[in-house]
Amino acid sequence: GKNTRRGLLSLFDHAFERALQQRLSVAQELRYSIERGELEVYFQPQHCLQTQSLMGAEALLRWRRAGQLVSPIEFIEAAESTGLIVPLGAWVLETACHEQQRWWRETGQRLTVAVNVSMRQLIDPHFLDQVDQALQKTGITPEDLELEITESMMMEDPAALQQLIAGLRDRGIKVAMDDFGTGYSSLSHLQQLPLDKLKIDRAFISGLEQHKEDRLLVEMMINLGHMLGHIVIAEGVETQEQQQILCELGCDRVQGYFYSPPLAAEAWQAYLLAHAQP
Ligand code: C2E
Ligand code: CA
Ligand code: CA
Ligand code: CA
């Protein structure tokens, strides 16, 4: 009846309000996370498929919130909608570059560090200044820095983005298209973007063993990437079989739990030493 409906509606209102409140408090706490030292950068190794050599690592943000480690899935949206992602992203970038320099100094290993960049950061008028500042402050060689931009972001304003990527490339910085296969890039768009790398989304890798179609799609993406002159890396590789299939399909690099989950600084340092090249 009418009363039940009203009851349900107020219940719904309540839940909605709580969700909203929760989001606001996440944003509020996130605002102080940098100064409180609650943010950490984890690193996940990337290997060459042919030689198995360690080539670099992707920097992944973590937030130690009230002692609990929180993945960016839980707070990136709040960070983006409030614009907090701009200072957070700058912090990640500088921290990642700083670490890359430390690896080099302490182990003699020269690896690439890949950093995720959100749309909000990219369209910020000071983005390139931020990048220059990180380069200057840390002394990283621009060629050792790679920025990951998701395919869906790449379609919003192709002309502006093309210019921005060109600016990064002028500095020697590498650019990877993240989550490749989940957006709808046209071939002409892909051809016009001055990229270095395509990163095949995990969704295609998880079905590699069971689904013929996924195998075909991945093969197509690898061949397309190579035709455009890009390095192709697969993310979310979890099993030996997936790794084997990717090897047969001619994929260049891999990243995923099969090799290692994202690692905190100390564990990463140990991984680095264990995989050091002479
Ligand atoms: P992403 O860029 O696609 O990063 C890969 C995600 O897959 C990471 O989740 C990683 O931990 C996870 N992953 C890696 N290997 C495997 C695997 O073998 N199996 C499975 N199931 N998962 C795997 P994470 O660290 O929770 O990050 C989630 C997303 O948050 C990232 O997706 C990225 O979009 C965003 N993110 C992370 N750090 C940053 C950052 O510093 N800035 C920005 N703007 N976004 C970030
Ligand atoms: Ca990424
Ligand atoms: Ca990805
Ligand atoms: Ca993804």
Side-chain angles (χ1 to χ4, degrees), residues 202-220:
R202 190 170 81 220
F204 301 97
I205 308 305
S206 56
L208 215 46
E209 296 146 279
Q210 291 87 19
H211 305 293
K212 251 209 171 112
E213 316 84 69
D214 282 351
R215 196 188 157 114
L216 275 171
L217 281 172
V218 169
E219 183 171 17
M220 256 183 50

Side-chain angles (χ1 to χ4, degrees), residues 46-56 109 111 243 246-247 250-254 259 271 274-278:
Q46 301 180 331
H47 285 265
C48 170
L49 251 179
Q50 284 286 317
T51 64
Q52 295 298 313
S53 321
L54 181 61
M55 306 301 287
Q109 301 296 302
L111 301 170
Q243 190 237 38
L246 287 164
C247 198
C251 191
D252 305 299
R253 297 189 191 172
V254 277
Y259 289 86
Y271 190 94
H275 292 82
Q277 314 266 40

Side-chain angles (χ1 to χ4, degrees), residues 22-53:
Q22 210 161 7
R23 277 185 69 176
L24 284 176
S25 80
V26 165
Q28 243 141 34
E29 286 176 43
L30 197 55
R31 202 174 297 277
Y32 302 105
S33 59
I34 297 183
E35 21 185 302
R36 285 184 187 154
E38 294 174 348
L39 296 179
E40 278 174 52
V41 177
Y42 274 44
F43 295 97
Q44 188 176 33
Q46 301 180 331
H47 285 265
C48 170
L49 251 179
Q50 284 286 317
T51 64
Q52 295 298 313
S53 321

Side-chain angles (χ1 to χ4, degrees), residues 173-241:
I173 296 165
K174 306 226 159 57
V175 179
M177 181 187 269
D178 202 0
D179 299 348
F180 181 54
T182 61
Y184 299 90
S185 299
S186 66
L187 286 178
S188 70
H189 182 204
L190 266 179
Q191 199 188 10
Q192 279 160 23
L193 284 174
L195 302 167
D196 296 280
K197 232 178 239 179
L198 292 182
K199 203 163 181 188
I200 301 177
D201 192 72
R202 190 170 81 220
F204 301 97
I205 308 305
S206 56
L208 215 46
E209 296 146 279
Q210 291 87 19
H211 305 293
K212 251 209 171 112
E213 316 84 69
D214 282 351
R215 196 188 157 114
L216 275 171
L217 281 172
V218 169
E219 183 171 17
M220 256 183 50
M221 289 190 261
I222 292 170
N223 292 339
L224 178 62
H226 286 165
M227 264 181 324
L228 295 168
H230 307 327
I231 292 172
V232 181
I233 177 165
E235 70 176 0
V237 178
E238 293 184 351
T239 67
Q240 172 114 50
E241 289 72 35

